[in-house]
Amino acid sequence: MPSDAQPVSILFVCLGNICRSPMAEGVFRSLASSHPLISRIDSCGTGAYHAGDNPDPRTMAVLRANGIKDYKHKARKVRVPQDFEEFDYVLAMDGMNVADLRGMVKRKGLGAEVGGKVRLFGEFGGRSGGEEVGDPYYGGDDGFEVAFEQVVRFSRGLLEVVEREAEERG
Ligand code: 4NP
């Protein structure tokens, strides 16, 4: 890795910021919080329904069962335009999240470069066309286990891309 590689910041986004995006944040923190190419990791929701709440207990249970025991978060809504200015990657869990985020970018007239930061997290899973992380909120615990398997896989893929891009820039 080149010594002058610029670290990047990552924002994970879902609807409520209590199930999927905190799970992604917790997993990615456990993989990469001390990685020299990662400067900041956070998560938020496109909606404010749960602002100030802790993550869903089912998200915390899946994290804990997989050895991630120190993750803490309070839900917050995406800040426009600040989050789009401050973060390099704005990674959405499903297509509706992508559309909502791109709509916000467009309404604020933030431009194509900012819009290009918004991507489906599942693009990093290595399957063609990408994958959505389905909303597990109204379902059973198995939905949280499926989401966990996905966010681990996508997080590893993302880290590989960040490392490769730093290599190419250097
Ligand atoms: P999340 O799940 O977007 O993965 O945090 C949801 C949590 C709450 C609601 C919807 C989705 N809700 O409508 O309250």
Side-chain angles (χ1 to χ4, degrees), residues 124-168:
F124 298 94
R127 296 184 187 164
S128 73
E131 286 168 68
E132 296 188 303
V133 183
D135 187 349
Y137 184 63
Y138 294 105
D141 290 352
D142 54 339
F144 286 78
E145 280 153 25
V146 169
F148 183 81
E149 182 280 323
Q150 290 183 298
V151 301
V152 168
R153 193 155 42 83
F154 304 165
S155 292
R156 290 186 180 133
L158 171 62
L159 207 49
E160 280 173 20
V161 168
V162 168
E163 287 170 349
R164 197 180 327 128
E165 285 177 355
E167 198 71 48
E168 283 163 7

mmCIF file of all heavy atoms in Angstrom, residues 124-168:
data_model
loop_
_atom_site.group_PDB
_atom_site.id
_atom_site.type_symbol
_atom_site.label_atom_id
_atom_site.label_comp_id
_atom_site.label_asym_id
_atom_site.label_seq_id
_atom_site.Cartn_x
_atom_site.Cartn_y
_atom_site.Cartn_z
ATOM 1 N N PHE A 124 -20.807 -4.664 -3.813
ATOM 2 C CA PHE A 124 -19.493 -5.161 -3.396
ATOM 3 C C PHE A 124 -19.526 -6.647 -3.030
ATOM 4 O O PHE A 124 -18.567 -7.169 -2.483
ATOM 5 C CB PHE A 124 -18.960 -4.317 -2.223
ATOM 6 C CG PHE A 124 -18.758 -2.885 -2.611
ATOM 7 C CD1 PHE A 124 -19.758 -1.949 -2.387
ATOM 8 C CD2 PHE A 124 -17.597 -2.474 -3.245
ATOM 9 C CE1 PHE A 124 -19.601 -0.626 -2.782
ATOM 10 C CE2 PHE A 124 -17.431 -1.159 -3.648
ATOM 11 C CZ PHE A 124 -18.431 -0.223 -3.416
ATOM 12 N N GLY A 125 -20.658 -7.301 -3.318
ATOM 13 C CA GLY A 125 -20.794 -8.715 -2.956
ATOM 14 C C GLY A 125 -20.288 -9.680 -4.000
ATOM 15 O O GLY A 125 -20.291 -10.886 -3.783
ATOM 16 N N GLY A 126 -19.893 -9.154 -5.155
ATOM 17 C CA GLY A 126 -19.294 -10.005 -6.176
ATOM 18 C C GLY A 126 -20.289 -10.719 -7.072
ATOM 19 O O GLY A 126 -19.905 -11.523 -7.908
ATOM 20 N N ARG A 127 -21.589 -10.458 -6.917
ATOM 21 C CA ARG A 127 -22.588 -11.086 -7.801
ATOM 22 C C ARG A 127 -23.071 -10.040 -8.796
ATOM 23 O O ARG A 127 -23.264 -8.884 -8.427
ATOM 24 C CB ARG A 127 -23.770 -11.619 -6.985
ATOM 25 C CG ARG A 127 -23.319 -12.720 -6.061
ATOM 26 C CD ARG A 127 -24.459 -13.375 -5.289
ATOM 27 N NE ARG A 127 -23.884 -14.308 -4.319
ATOM 28 C CZ ARG A 127 -24.536 -14.823 -3.288
ATOM 29 N NH1 ARG A 127 -25.794 -14.527 -3.088
ATOM 30 N NH2 ARG A 127 -23.924 -15.656 -2.457
ATOM 31 N N SER A 128 -23.271 -10.466 -10.047
ATOM 32 C CA SER A 128 -23.580 -9.481 -11.085
ATOM 33 C C SER A 128 -24.928 -8.815 -10.797
ATOM 34 O O SER A 128 -25.871 -9.458 -10.336
ATOM 35 C CB SER A 128 -23.579 -10.121 -12.463
ATOM 36 O OG SER A 128 -24.720 -10.904 -12.609
ATOM 37 N N GLY A 129 -24.978 -7.504 -11.023
ATOM 38 C CA GLY A 129 -26.197 -6.741 -10.771
ATOM 39 C C GLY A 129 -26.354 -6.293 -9.328
ATOM 40 O O GLY A 129 -27.243 -5.501 -9.012
ATOM 41 N N GLY A 130 -25.503 -6.785 -8.437
ATOM 42 C CA GLY A 130 -25.579 -6.377 -7.030
ATOM 43 C C GLY A 130 -26.697 -7.106 -6.300
ATOM 44 O O GLY A 130 -27.447 -7.871 -6.883
ATOM 45 N N GLU A 131 -26.772 -6.872 -5.011
ATOM 46 C CA GLU A 131 -27.784 -7.516 -4.165
ATOM 47 C C GLU A 131 -28.340 -6.475 -3.209
ATOM 48 O O GLU A 131 -27.607 -5.613 -2.733
ATOM 49 C CB GLU A 131 -27.132 -8.584 -3.269
ATOM 50 C CG GLU A 131 -26.714 -9.840 -3.938
ATOM 51 C CD GLU A 131 -25.821 -10.665 -3.007
ATOM 52 O OE1 GLU A 131 -26.304 -11.171 -1.985
ATOM 53 O OE2 GLU A 131 -24.625 -10.762 -3.298
ATOM 54 N N GLU A 132 -29.609 -6.606 -2.902
ATOM 55 C CA GLU A 132 -30.204 -5.759 -1.869
ATOM 56 C C GLU A 132 -30.136 -6.491 -0.528
ATOM 57 O O GLU A 132 -30.229 -7.725 -0.486
ATOM 58 C CB GLU A 132 -31.659 -5.474 -2.192
ATOM 59 C CG GLU A 132 -31.850 -4.682 -3.469
ATOM 60 C CD GLU A 132 -33.295 -4.247 -3.644
ATOM 61 O OE1 GLU A 132 -34.187 -5.125 -3.645
ATOM 62 O OE2 GLU A 132 -33.516 -3.042 -3.765
ATOM 63 N N VAL A 133 -30.012 -5.724 0.552
ATOM 64 C CA VAL A 133 -30.211 -6.291 1.883
ATOM 65 C C VAL A 133 -31.674 -6.022 2.212
ATOM 66 O O VAL A 133 -32.082 -4.865 2.394
ATOM 67 C CB VAL A 133 -29.295 -5.633 2.938
ATOM 68 C CG1 VAL A 133 -29.488 -6.312 4.295
ATOM 69 C CG2 VAL A 133 -27.833 -5.706 2.515
ATOM 70 N N GLY A 134 -32.468 -7.093 2.233
ATOM 71 C CA GLY A 134 -33.909 -6.933 2.463
ATOM 72 C C GLY A 134 -34.188 -6.429 3.871
ATOM 73 O O GLY A 134 -33.449 -6.725 4.805
ATOM 74 N N ASP A 135 -35.282 -5.667 4.006
ATOM 75 C CA ASP A 135 -35.646 -5.099 5.304
ATOM 76 C C ASP A 135 -36.154 -6.211 6.233
ATOM 77 O O ASP A 135 -37.188 -6.820 5.961
ATOM 78 C CB ASP A 135 -36.740 -4.058 5.075
ATOM 79 C CG ASP A 135 -37.068 -3.306 6.341
ATOM 80 O OD1 ASP A 135 -36.615 -3.721 7.423
ATOM 81 O OD2 ASP A 135 -37.786 -2.301 6.254
ATOM 82 N N PRO A 136 -35.424 -6.490 7.320
ATOM 83 C CA PRO A 136 -35.826 -7.602 8.194
ATOM 84 C C PRO A 136 -36.777 -7.176 9.322
ATOM 85 O O PRO A 136 -37.190 -7.997 10.134
ATOM 86 C CB PRO A 136 -34.478 -8.047 8.790
ATOM 87 C CG PRO A 136 -33.689 -6.771 8.903
ATOM 88 C CD PRO A 136 -34.152 -5.879 7.765
ATOM 89 N N TYR A 137 -37.138 -5.894 9.369
ATOM 90 C CA TYR A 137 -37.809 -5.320 10.552
ATOM 91 C C TYR A 137 -39.098 -6.054 10.915
ATOM 92 O O TYR A 137 -39.343 -6.354 12.077
ATOM 93 C CB TYR A 137 -38.088 -3.838 10.302
ATOM 94 C CG TYR A 137 -38.680 -3.099 11.470
ATOM 95 C CD1 TYR A 137 -37.977 -2.953 12.671
ATOM 96 C CD2 TYR A 137 -39.950 -2.523 11.382
ATOM 97 C CE1 TYR A 137 -38.524 -2.251 13.739
ATOM 98 C CE2 TYR A 137 -40.493 -1.815 12.454
ATOM 99 C CZ TYR A 137 -39.783 -1.688 13.620
ATOM 100 O OH TYR A 137 -40.322 -0.986 14.673
ATOM 101 N N TYR A 138 -39.927 -6.342 9.906
ATOM 102 C CA TYR A 138 -41.234 -6.927 10.186
ATOM 103 C C TYR A 138 -41.224 -8.454 10.170
ATOM 104 O O TYR A 138 -42.253 -9.088 10.383
ATOM 105 C CB TYR A 138 -42.277 -6.406 9.186
ATOM 106 C CG TYR A 138 -42.530 -4.926 9.362
ATOM 107 C CD1 TYR A 138 -42.021 -3.997 8.461
ATOM 108 C CD2 TYR A 138 -43.259 -4.454 10.455
ATOM 109 C CE1 TYR A 138 -42.233 -2.636 8.631
ATOM 110 C CE2 TYR A 138 -43.472 -3.096 10.638
ATOM 111 C CZ TYR A 138 -42.956 -2.195 9.716
ATOM 112 O OH TYR A 138 -43.171 -0.864 9.902
ATOM 113 N N GLY A 139 -40.058 -9.053 9.887
ATOM 114 C CA GLY A 139 -39.988 -10.512 9.801
ATOM 115 C C GLY A 139 -39.395 -11.142 11.050
ATOM 116 O O GLY A 139 -39.324 -10.523 12.111
ATOM 117 N N GLY A 140 -38.949 -12.390 10.898
ATOM 118 C CA GLY A 140 -38.382 -13.135 12.031
ATOM 119 C C GLY A 140 -36.880 -12.952 12.140
ATOM 120 O O GLY A 140 -36.269 -12.215 11.361
ATOM 121 N N ASP A 141 -36.312 -13.656 13.110
ATOM 122 C CA ASP A 141 -34.872 -13.530 13.360
ATOM 123 C C ASP A 141 -34.029 -13.982 12.171
ATOM 124 O O ASP A 141 -32.908 -13.521 11.985
ATOM 125 C CB ASP A 141 -34.468 -14.371 14.585
ATOM 126 C CG ASP A 141 -35.005 -13.774 15.871
ATOM 127 O OD1 ASP A 141 -35.544 -12.641 15.827
ATOM 128 O OD2 ASP A 141 -34.899 -14.437 16.917
ATOM 129 N N ASP A 142 -34.601 -14.918 11.354
ATOM 130 C CA ASP A 142 -33.799 -15.420 10.235
ATOM 131 C C ASP A 142 -33.431 -14.314 9.253
ATOM 132 O O ASP A 142 -32.372 -14.346 8.639
ATOM 133 C CB ASP A 142 -34.503 -16.588 9.527
ATOM 134 C CG ASP A 142 -35.916 -16.236 9.094
ATOM 135 O OD1 ASP A 142 -36.502 -15.291 9.663
ATOM 136 O OD2 ASP A 142 -36.431 -16.914 8.182
ATOM 137 N N GLY A 143 -34.292 -13.304 9.123
ATOM 138 C CA GLY A 143 -33.982 -12.175 8.233
ATOM 139 C C GLY A 143 -32.734 -11.432 8.686
ATOM 140 O O GLY A 143 -31.956 -10.938 7.859
ATOM 141 N N PHE A 144 -32.514 -11.382 9.987
ATOM 142 C CA PHE A 144 -31.324 -10.703 10.521
ATOM 143 C C PHE A 144 -30.077 -11.545 10.260
ATOM 144 O O PHE A 144 -29.001 -11.002 10.046
ATOM 145 C CB PHE A 144 -31.512 -10.414 12.015
ATOM 146 C CG PHE A 144 -32.477 -9.275 12.261
ATOM 147 C CD1 PHE A 144 -33.850 -9.475 12.176
ATOM 148 C CD2 PHE A 144 -32.018 -8.005 12.538
ATOM 149 C CE1 PHE A 144 -34.741 -8.435 12.371
ATOM 150 C CE2 PHE A 144 -32.894 -6.955 12.735
ATOM 151 C CZ PHE A 144 -34.266 -7.169 12.652
ATOM 152 N N GLU A 145 -30.263 -12.859 10.274
ATOM 153 C CA GLU A 145 -29.110 -13.730 9.976
ATOM 154 C C GLU A 145 -28.719 -13.650 8.497
ATOM 155 O O GLU A 145 -27.535 -13.605 8.162
ATOM 156 C CB GLU A 145 -29.424 -15.170 10.389
ATOM 157 C CG GLU A 145 -29.231 -15.333 11.878
ATOM 158 C CD GLU A 145 -30.078 -16.428 12.495
ATOM 159 O OE1 GLU A 145 -30.457 -17.366 11.765
ATOM 160 O OE2 GLU A 145 -30.353 -16.328 13.693
ATOM 161 N N VAL A 146 -29.722 -13.582 7.631
ATOM 162 C CA VAL A 146 -29.441 -13.412 6.191
ATOM 163 C C VAL A 146 -28.720 -12.078 5.975
ATOM 164 O O VAL A 146 -27.709 -11.995 5.268
ATOM 165 C CB VAL A 146 -30.758 -13.458 5.370
ATOM 166 C CG1 VAL A 146 -30.514 -13.025 3.925
ATOM 167 C CG2 VAL A 146 -31.375 -14.849 5.426
ATOM 168 N N ALA A 147 -29.242 -11.025 6.600
ATOM 169 C CA ALA A 147 -28.622 -9.693 6.446
ATOM 170 C C ALA A 147 -27.177 -9.723 6.953
ATOM 171 O O ALA A 147 -26.285 -9.127 6.333
ATOM 172 C CB ALA A 147 -29.431 -8.642 7.212
ATOM 173 N N PHE A 148 -26.938 -10.437 8.043
ATOM 174 C CA PHE A 148 -25.574 -10.484 8.591
ATOM 175 C C PHE A 148 -24.616 -11.143 7.605
ATOM 176 O O PHE A 148 -23.532 -10.626 7.341
ATOM 177 C CB PHE A 148 -25.548 -11.229 9.935
ATOM 178 C CG PHE A 148 -24.185 -11.237 10.559
ATOM 179 C CD1 PHE A 148 -23.735 -10.134 11.277
ATOM 180 C CD2 PHE A 148 -23.331 -12.320 10.403
ATOM 181 C CE1 PHE A 148 -22.455 -10.117 11.826
ATOM 182 C CE2 PHE A 148 -22.051 -12.305 10.945
ATOM 183 C CZ PHE A 148 -21.614 -11.202 11.656
ATOM 184 N N GLU A 149 -25.031 -12.268 7.045
ATOM 185 C CA GLU A 149 -24.158 -12.959 6.065
ATOM 186 C C GLU A 149 -23.838 -12.016 4.913
ATOM 187 O O GLU A 149 -22.701 -11.944 4.446
ATOM 188 C CB GLU A 149 -24.861 -14.234 5.565
ATOM 189 C CG GLU A 149 -24.047 -15.073 4.595
ATOM 190 C CD GLU A 149 -24.049 -14.574 3.153
ATOM 191 O OE1 GLU A 149 -25.077 -14.082 2.657
ATOM 192 O OE2 GLU A 149 -22.984 -14.647 2.515
ATOM 193 N N GLN A 150 -24.850 -11.273 4.457
ATOM 194 C CA GLN A 150 -24.624 -10.340 3.346
ATOM 195 C C GLN A 150 -23.662 -9.221 3.742
ATOM 196 O O GLN A 150 -22.720 -8.922 3.012
ATOM 197 C CB GLN A 150 -25.953 -9.716 2.894
ATOM 198 C CG GLN A 150 -26.882 -10.690 2.190
ATOM 199 C CD GLN A 150 -28.135 -9.975 1.722
ATOM 200 O OE1 GLN A 150 -28.897 -9.445 2.531
ATOM 201 N NE2 GLN A 150 -28.359 -9.962 0.430
ATOM 202 N N VAL A 151 -23.898 -8.588 4.884
ATOM 203 C CA VAL A 151 -23.069 -7.410 5.204
ATOM 204 C C VAL A 151 -21.616 -7.803 5.477
ATOM 205 O O VAL A 151 -20.710 -7.028 5.200
ATOM 206 C CB VAL A 151 -23.665 -6.513 6.321
ATOM 207 C CG1 VAL A 151 -25.048 -6.012 5.930
ATOM 208 C CG2 VAL A 151 -23.663 -7.171 7.667
ATOM 209 N N VAL A 152 -21.395 -9.027 5.976
ATOM 210 C CA VAL A 152 -20.006 -9.494 6.143
ATOM 211 C C VAL A 152 -19.348 -9.627 4.767
ATOM 212 O O VAL A 152 -18.232 -9.148 4.537
ATOM 213 C CB VAL A 152 -19.960 -10.835 6.897
ATOM 214 C CG1 VAL A 152 -18.569 -11.462 6.802
ATOM 215 C CG2 VAL A 152 -20.361 -10.649 8.357
ATOM 216 N N ARG A 153 -20.056 -10.266 3.851
ATOM 217 C CA ARG A 153 -19.518 -10.493 2.507
ATOM 218 C C ARG A 153 -19.286 -9.152 1.791
ATOM 219 O O ARG A 153 -18.236 -8.932 1.189
ATOM 220 C CB ARG A 153 -20.503 -11.381 1.739
ATOM 221 C CG ARG A 153 -19.998 -11.965 0.468
ATOM 222 C CD ARG A 153 -20.753 -13.264 0.118
ATOM 223 N NE ARG A 153 -22.196 -13.199 0.348
ATOM 224 C CZ ARG A 153 -23.090 -12.670 -0.513
ATOM 225 N NH1 ARG A 153 -22.681 -12.163 -1.640
ATOM 226 N NH2 ARG A 153 -24.391 -12.667 -0.232
ATOM 227 N N PHE A 154 -20.254 -8.247 1.879
ATOM 228 C CA PHE A 154 -20.115 -6.956 1.199
ATOM 229 C C PHE A 154 -18.988 -6.134 1.835
ATOM 230 O O PHE A 154 -18.277 -5.402 1.146
ATOM 231 C CB PHE A 154 -21.414 -6.143 1.258
ATOM 232 C CG PHE A 154 -22.635 -6.832 0.698
ATOM 233 C CD1 PHE A 154 -23.907 -6.325 0.975
ATOM 234 C CD2 PHE A 154 -22.537 -7.973 -0.096
ATOM 235 C CE1 PHE A 154 -25.037 -6.934 0.466
ATOM 236 C CE2 PHE A 154 -23.678 -8.596 -0.604
ATOM 237 C CZ PHE A 154 -24.930 -8.074 -0.318
ATOM 238 N N SER A 155 -18.849 -6.234 3.145
ATOM 239 C CA SER A 155 -17.800 -5.463 3.828
ATOM 240 C C SER A 155 -16.415 -5.910 3.380
ATOM 241 O O SER A 155 -15.527 -5.074 3.144
ATOM 242 C CB SER A 155 -17.919 -5.630 5.352
ATOM 243 O OG SER A 155 -19.090 -5.013 5.825
ATOM 244 N N ARG A 156 -16.242 -7.229 3.247
ATOM 245 C CA ARG A 156 -14.937 -7.734 2.777
ATOM 246 C C ARG A 156 -14.674 -7.263 1.359
ATOM 247 O O ARG A 156 -13.557 -6.858 1.021
ATOM 248 C CB ARG A 156 -14.919 -9.265 2.830
ATOM 249 C CG ARG A 156 -14.903 -9.771 4.264
ATOM 250 C CD ARG A 156 -14.728 -11.294 4.312
ATOM 251 N NE ARG A 156 -14.726 -11.754 5.684
ATOM 252 C CZ ARG A 156 -15.420 -12.787 6.147
ATOM 253 N NH1 ARG A 156 -16.182 -13.499 5.324
ATOM 254 N NH2 ARG A 156 -15.365 -13.124 7.413
ATOM 255 N N GLY A 157 -15.726 -7.302 0.510
ATOM 256 C CA GLY A 157 -15.582 -6.846 -0.875
ATOM 257 C C GLY A 157 -15.252 -5.365 -0.943
ATOM 258 O O GLY A 157 -14.407 -4.937 -1.738
ATOM 259 N N LEU A 158 -15.919 -4.585 -0.114
ATOM 260 C CA LEU A 158 -15.664 -3.142 -0.085
ATOM 261 C C LEU A 158 -14.216 -2.850 0.306
ATOM 262 O O LEU A 158 -13.542 -2.027 -0.329
ATOM 263 C CB LEU A 158 -16.635 -2.482 0.903
ATOM 264 C CG LEU A 158 -16.392 -1.017 1.226
ATOM 265 C CD1 LEU A 158 -16.519 -0.141 -0.021
ATOM 266 C CD2 LEU A 158 -17.378 -0.542 2.306
ATOM 267 N N LEU A 159 -13.747 -3.539 1.321
ATOM 268 C CA LEU A 159 -12.371 -3.302 1.779
ATOM 269 C C LEU A 159 -11.361 -3.661 0.684
ATOM 270 O O LEU A 159 -10.376 -2.940 0.476
ATOM 271 C CB LEU A 159 -12.122 -4.122 3.049
ATOM 272 C CG LEU A 159 -11.082 -3.602 4.028
ATOM 273 C CD1 LEU A 159 -11.270 -2.125 4.349
ATOM 274 C CD2 LEU A 159 -11.123 -4.430 5.315
ATOM 275 N N GLU A 160 -11.645 -4.721 -0.033
ATOM 276 C CA GLU A 160 -10.760 -5.092 -1.153
ATOM 277 C C GLU A 160 -10.744 -4.007 -2.217
ATOM 278 O O GLU A 160 -9.685 -3.679 -2.768
ATOM 279 C CB GLU A 160 -11.229 -6.411 -1.800
ATOM 280 C CG GLU A 160 -10.802 -7.633 -1.022
ATOM 281 C CD GLU A 160 -11.413 -8.914 -1.594
ATOM 282 O OE1 GLU A 160 -11.830 -8.919 -2.767
ATOM 283 O OE2 GLU A 160 -11.486 -9.893 -0.830
ATOM 284 N N VAL A 161 -11.914 -3.428 -2.516
ATOM 285 C CA VAL A 161 -11.990 -2.363 -3.535
ATOM 286 C C VAL A 161 -11.229 -1.122 -3.059
ATOM 287 O O VAL A 161 -10.469 -0.513 -3.815
ATOM 288 C CB VAL A 161 -13.467 -2.018 -3.861
ATOM 289 C CG1 VAL A 161 -13.569 -0.733 -4.673
ATOM 290 C CG2 VAL A 161 -14.107 -3.168 -4.623
ATOM 291 N N VAL A 162 -11.414 -0.763 -1.792
ATOM 292 C CA VAL A 162 -10.712 0.411 -1.245
ATOM 293 C C VAL A 162 -9.202 0.193 -1.333
ATOM 294 O O VAL A 162 -8.447 1.092 -1.729
ATOM 295 C CB VAL A 162 -11.160 0.679 0.213
ATOM 296 C CG1 VAL A 162 -10.249 1.685 0.898
ATOM 297 C CG2 VAL A 162 -12.609 1.157 0.247
ATOM 298 N N GLU A 163 -8.758 -1.009 -1.004
ATOM 299 C CA GLU A 163 -7.313 -1.314 -1.061
ATOM 300 C C GLU A 163 -6.807 -1.282 -2.502
ATOM 301 O O GLU A 163 -5.747 -0.724 -2.781
ATOM 302 C CB GLU A 163 -7.030 -2.679 -0.419
ATOM 303 C CG GLU A 163 -7.148 -2.626 1.090
ATOM 304 C CD GLU A 163 -7.106 -3.998 1.751
ATOM 305 O OE1 GLU A 163 -7.195 -5.023 1.040
ATOM 306 O OE2 GLU A 163 -6.998 -4.040 2.996
ATOM 307 N N ARG A 164 -7.590 -1.835 -3.419
ATOM 308 C CA ARG A 164 -7.174 -1.866 -4.828
ATOM 309 C C ARG A 164 -7.116 -0.445 -5.399
ATOM 310 O O ARG A 164 -6.185 -0.076 -6.101
ATOM 311 C CB ARG A 164 -8.147 -2.731 -5.631
ATOM 312 C CG ARG A 164 -7.591 -3.160 -6.975
ATOM 313 C CD ARG A 164 -8.543 -4.025 -7.781
ATOM 314 N NE ARG A 164 -9.377 -4.896 -6.963
ATOM 315 C CZ ARG A 164 -10.711 -4.947 -7.064
ATOM 316 N NH1 ARG A 164 -11.351 -4.209 -7.930
ATOM 317 N NH2 ARG A 164 -11.397 -5.773 -6.301
ATOM 318 N N GLU A 165 -8.124 0.377 -5.061
ATOM 319 C CA GLU A 165 -8.135 1.749 -5.594
ATOM 320 C C GLU A 165 -6.963 2.558 -5.058
ATOM 321 O O GLU A 165 -6.376 3.366 -5.786
ATOM 322 C CB GLU A 165 -9.477 2.435 -5.270
ATOM 323 C CG GLU A 165 -10.584 1.902 -6.182
ATOM 324 C CD GLU A 165 -11.964 2.462 -5.888
ATOM 325 O OE1 GLU A 165 -12.106 3.210 -4.898
ATOM 326 O OE2 GLU A 165 -12.895 2.135 -6.647
ATOM 327 N N ALA A 166 -6.606 2.331 -3.796
ATOM 328 C CA ALA A 166 -5.459 3.040 -3.226
ATOM 329 C C ALA A 166 -4.177 2.618 -3.941
ATOM 330 O O ALA A 166 -3.300 3.442 -4.248
ATOM 331 C CB ALA A 166 -5.353 2.760 -1.729
ATOM 332 N N GLU A 167 -4.100 1.337 -4.226
ATOM 333 C CA GLU A 167 -2.944 0.781 -4.940
ATOM 334 C C GLU A 167 -2.833 1.426 -6.328
ATOM 335 O O GLU A 167 -1.752 1.833 -6.751
ATOM 336 C CB GLU A 167 -3.171 -0.730 -5.087
ATOM 337 C CG GLU A 167 -1.936 -1.550 -5.406
ATOM 338 C CD GLU A 167 -0.987 -1.634 -4.238
ATOM 339 O OE1 GLU A 167 -1.423 -1.929 -3.107
ATOM 340 O OE2 GLU A 167 0.194 -1.372 -4.484
ATOM 341 N N GLU A 168 -3.968 1.535 -7.017
ATOM 342 C CA GLU A 168 -3.985 2.088 -8.380
ATOM 343 C C GLU A 168 -3.637 3.574 -8.376
ATOM 344 O O GLU A 168 -2.937 4.063 -9.241
ATOM 345 C CB GLU A 168 -5.366 1.868 -9.031
ATOM 346 C CG GLU A 168 -5.553 0.429 -9.495
ATOM 347 C CD GLU A 168 -7.008 0.060 -9.763
ATOM 348 O OE1 GLU A 168 -7.879 0.952 -9.712
ATOM 349 O OE2 GLU A 168 -7.256 -1.130 -9.998
#
